Amino acid sequence: MKKSKLKCPNLVPVTVRHLTMATLHPHLDRQSEKQLCMFFNGNVKFSLLYKGSFHGFSFTEIQYKCTNQGQIIMVGYLEDGLVLGGCMSKGLINQNTTVKDETAFRFSADQSESVKTSVTTVNFEYNAIRFDSDLRFQQSSVRGNALSVTGSQLEGEKILEELEVYRVEDTCDLLETPWRELTSNEEKRNLLKESVVSYKPPTDVVSQARVLLVGPVGAGKSSFISSVCSVFHGRVSIQAMVGTAARSFTTKFRSYTIKAARGGEATPLVLCDMMGLGETDLSGVRVKDVLHVIKGHMPEGYKFNPSEPISSASKGYVEEPTVKNKIACVAFVLDAGRVSAYPELVQEALKELRLKISDLGVPQVALLTHTDEVCNSVAEDGKNIYQSRVIQNKVYAAGKLLGLPVSCIVPVKNYSSELELNCSTDILILSAVDLILQYVDMFCDECEMSKSAP
Ligand SMILES: Nc1nc2c(ncn2[C@@H]2O[C@H](COP(=O)(O)OP(=O)(O)O)[C@@H](O)[C@H]2O)c(=O)[nH]1
Ligand SMILES: [Mg+2]
């Protein structure tokens, strides 16, 4: 049997035994699972994200499988039956990112007992998790207690038979009664579709419902546009450019007129896509550009330049926008898995946008995407979305981040890996469009009033 070196998730260096023909079944036996569950008062279940013998014993693989999955527990199985590991309540975020985590802990368990050791002490400024290039949970001597994954050497060596990472899920996940009503059947899907197709702005002043999707890179803005198109096309299709890069995959300003069917008549709904807000200064669009889009100055196809916002000197700049160019509603798009962990730069940009867009008198709503990634019940069926406690908490977190009432926030599930449409997913997408159109009406009313004002 092949062996290679890897540190196990505690202070003991180990050698990994490479298993051949591994399958993706949890290595965790019932007894150990029970012991680990007790660390969370029994109210959790574990969902396997990564298994070393299956995915490969590499830190890159762990990062790939486990980043942004919420609370995770890493479990290492030693040859002598000892189970060791650690838990991070905020999960893996990004390599080399330090995250405050007051409830992070490491543990050891064997047949007779399990020991949980908090990585929190009161003596230090804050508690942290750090990820470098190897696997090890330890206490950092410099910056408070750290749940750390580093590569330093220690005496003694043990065989690590297996290494797994599980997402920790709340078993009280589904509420007894939904916190919002949602009918999920074919009839409802058709009704919602019909109401979008027959939508007309309530005033002649506004002919189109131009809706701008704004949010961090990767939140799912382009995917939402593609998902809306898919619902009306009757099959999953990609319209807006969707991507996974850390920098925005969408680099141009594009507006998509939604058609009632594939090749069918245009509806008044126009969804506008733009570059996302970056996590660093130059990785995405800045607030100024978003405001220019909203006011209608941005020409179609404009290529964003993060180091230089558009100005009146830019090619194609719309000097005197009419109501036709203006945005009637802004839909903020946030990733449910990241809503509580967006970097400061993104949080500040969102807050600034909220204030400045409100000053412009443009109504705002928010869409919470990636809901299937934070709640298994939603991944199984989108109709569970309003029964999910996790999603409810995420919606409240989004409300807090944006300073928006919860009634303006809708959780959705975009089409990302599916090849076929699904009724519940369609209903979530259509309900989001329905909410957006209600807010477009508010914009139209404002325009009508200002037209008739003396
Ligand atoms: N599982 C899941 N993946 C999503 C969802 N929305 C978007 N994605 C994925 O997230 C990545 C970024 O999406 P994209 O639409 O390009 O984000 P944008 O930068 O906001 O336009 C892509 O890989 C999408 O397939 C969602 O609701 N669920
Ligand atoms: Mg995009």
Side-chain angles (χ1 to χ4, degrees):
M1 196 171 283
K2 235 171 85 188
K3 289 177 183 180
S4 70
K5 284 225 170 146
L6 183 91
K7 309 294 174 302
C8 78
N10 80 332
L11 300 171
V12 192
V14 290
T15 297
V16 179
R17 179 178 294 175
H18 280 190
L19 301 174
T20 48
M21 299 294 289
T23 51
L24 196 53
H25 294 304
H27 190 84
L28 197 63
D29 61 35
R30 285 188 86 85
Q31 160 75 9
S32 309
E33 187 177 357
K34 255 190 179 166
Q35 281 178 317
L36 300 193
C37 274
M38 290 324 291
F39 293 147
F40 306 88
N41 300 324
N43 293 329
V44 295
K45 66 176 186 185
F46 301 124
S47 169
L48 185 61
L49 296 172
Y50 160 88
K51 181 171 176 169
S53 60
F54 187 86
H55 295 111
F57 288 93
S58 103
F59 189 73
T60 317
E61 277 303 315
I62 295 178
Q63 270 201 307
Y64 183 67
K65 298 280 177 234
C66 310
T67 300
N68 294 330
Q69 290 288 346
Q71 186 169 30
I72 55 168
I73 188 160
M74 191 179 273
V75 190
Y77 306 87
L78 298 194
E79 192 181 39
D80 57 10
L82 194 64
V83 178
L84 295 162
C87 176
M88 292 157 267
S89 70
K90 292 181 181 166
L92 269 180
I93 312 274
N94 272 322
Q95 191 169 10
N96 300 330
T97 304
T98 304
V99 184
K100 271 191 191 184
D101 192 345
E102 279 89 5
T103 53
F105 65 88
R106 55 197 170 86
F107 65 86
S108 69
D110 60 19
Q111 294 297 328
S112 53
E113 61 164 2
S114 53
V115 182
K116 175 178 170 181
T117 316
S118 171
V119 291
T120 306
T121 63
V122 286
N123 298 337
F124 293 100
E125 215 180 318
Y126 66 79
N127 308 295
I129 301 172
R130 249 188 60 225
F131 299 96
D132 290 337
S133 57
D134 215 337
L135 302 168
R136 203 153 68 84
F137 286 74
Q138 69 167 33
Q139 297 212 346
S140 151
S141 54
V142 192
R143 286 179 126 190
N145 278 330
L147 195 49
S148 168
V149 184
T150 67
S152 51
Q153 296 293 324
L154 279 170
E155 295 296 315
E157 192 161 291
K158 290 190 176 189
I159 302 283
L160 181 68
E161 294 235 316
E162 184 61 277
L163 181 69
E164 291 180 330
V165 181
Y166 291 87
R167 180 169 55 213
V168 181
E169 290 169 8
D170 198 339
T171 45
C172 315
D173 200 21
L174 290 186
L175 300 158
E176 265 178 40
T177 45
W179 58 278
R180 222 181 244 173
E181 284 306 320
L182 179 79
T183 312
S184 200
N185 56 32
E186 289 285 340
E187 194 188 345
K188 177 74 179 179
R189 166 161 64 175
N190 293 338
L191 275 174
L192 281 167
K193 258 173 121 169
E194 190 43 46
S195 108
V196 176
V197 168
S198 60
Y199 175 81
K200 293 239 168 351
T203 163
D204 295 342
V205 183
V206 182
S207 58
Q208 282 184 329
R210 283 175 71 78
V211 177
L212 178 66
L213 300 168
V214 176
V217 171
K221 300 176 290 300
S222 305
S223 299
F224 180 73
I225 296 177
S226 287
S227 299
V228 174
C229 292
S230 300
V231 174
F232 287 100
H233 283 187
R235 68 179 164 102
V236 177
S237 56
I238 293 182
Q239 295 289 315
M241 292 298 281
V242 171
T244 51
R247 280 164 173 252
S248 187
F249 205 74
T250 311
T251 54
K252 290 185 178 168
F253 175 62
R254 286 249 1 228
S255 31
Y256 297 83
T257 301
I258 305 303
K259 295 190 175 144
R262 194 172 154 76
E265 220 175 289
T267 71
L269 177 63
V270 179
L271 296 178
C272 302
D273 197 13
M274 67 180 298
M275 195 181 219
L277 302 165
E279 298 196 356
T280 56
D281 272 350
L282 295 178
S283 62
V285 82
R286 310 310 306 271
V287 167
K288 256 190 179 167
D289 271 333
V290 181
L291 297 173
H292 274 103
V293 174
I294 296 169
K295 292 183 205 162
H297 295 296
M298 198 65 71
E300 184 68 23
Y302 175 81
K303 193 166 187 328
F304 293 98
N305 177 358
S307 53
E308 199 187 329
I310 194 170
S311 72
S312 54
S314 307
K315 196 170 163 241
Y317 184 85
V318 182
E319 282 286 353
E320 287 178 24
T322 63
V323 86
K324 208 173 133 257
N325 308 102
K326 290 184 183 168
I327 294 297
C329 176
V330 169
F332 286 98
V333 182
L334 299 178
D335 177 341
R338 309 210 57 202
V339 69
S340 313
Y342 277 125
E344 205 116 305
L345 201 69
V346 171
Q347 291 186 31
E348 278 164 15
L350 289 169
K351 290 199 171 107
E352 191 181 344
L353 279 168
R354 277 278 296 128
L355 283 175
K356 296 198 164 149
I357 301 170
S358 300
D359 283 348
L360 294 174
V362 177
Q364 297 145 69
V365 299
L367 314 179
L368 201 61
T369 55
H370 292 258
T371 49
D372 50 314
E373 288 177 344
V374 294
C375 177
N376 265 2
S377 308
V378 175
E380 274 162 29
D381 195 331
K383 75 169 192 265
N384 296 324
I385 213 155
Y386 290 115
Q387 244 182 299
S388 163
R389 197 187 298 273
V390 178
I391 302 297
Q392 186 185 31
N393 291 337
K394 300 285 179 190
V395 168
Y396 278 91
K400 203 168 149 213
L401 173 63
L402 293 168
L404 260 183
V406 167
S407 58
C408 305
I409 305 172
V410 274
V412 294
K413 181 177 158 184
N414 283 328
Y415 285 110
S416 58
S417 56
E418 302 80 351
L419 295 175
E420 286 185 12
L421 293 181
N422 169 282
C423 184
S424 317
T425 309
D426 280 7
I427 286 171
L428 294 177
I429 291 161
L430 288 164
S431 303
V433 173
D434 193 52
L435 180 86
I436 286 170
L437 291 177
Q438 287 175 37
Y439 282 85
V440 169
D441 281 356
M442 272 172 57
F443 176 82
C444 296
D445 292 343
E446 279 291 316
C447 290
E448 179 73 22
M449 267 161 52
S450 52
K451 188 188 101 182
S452 52

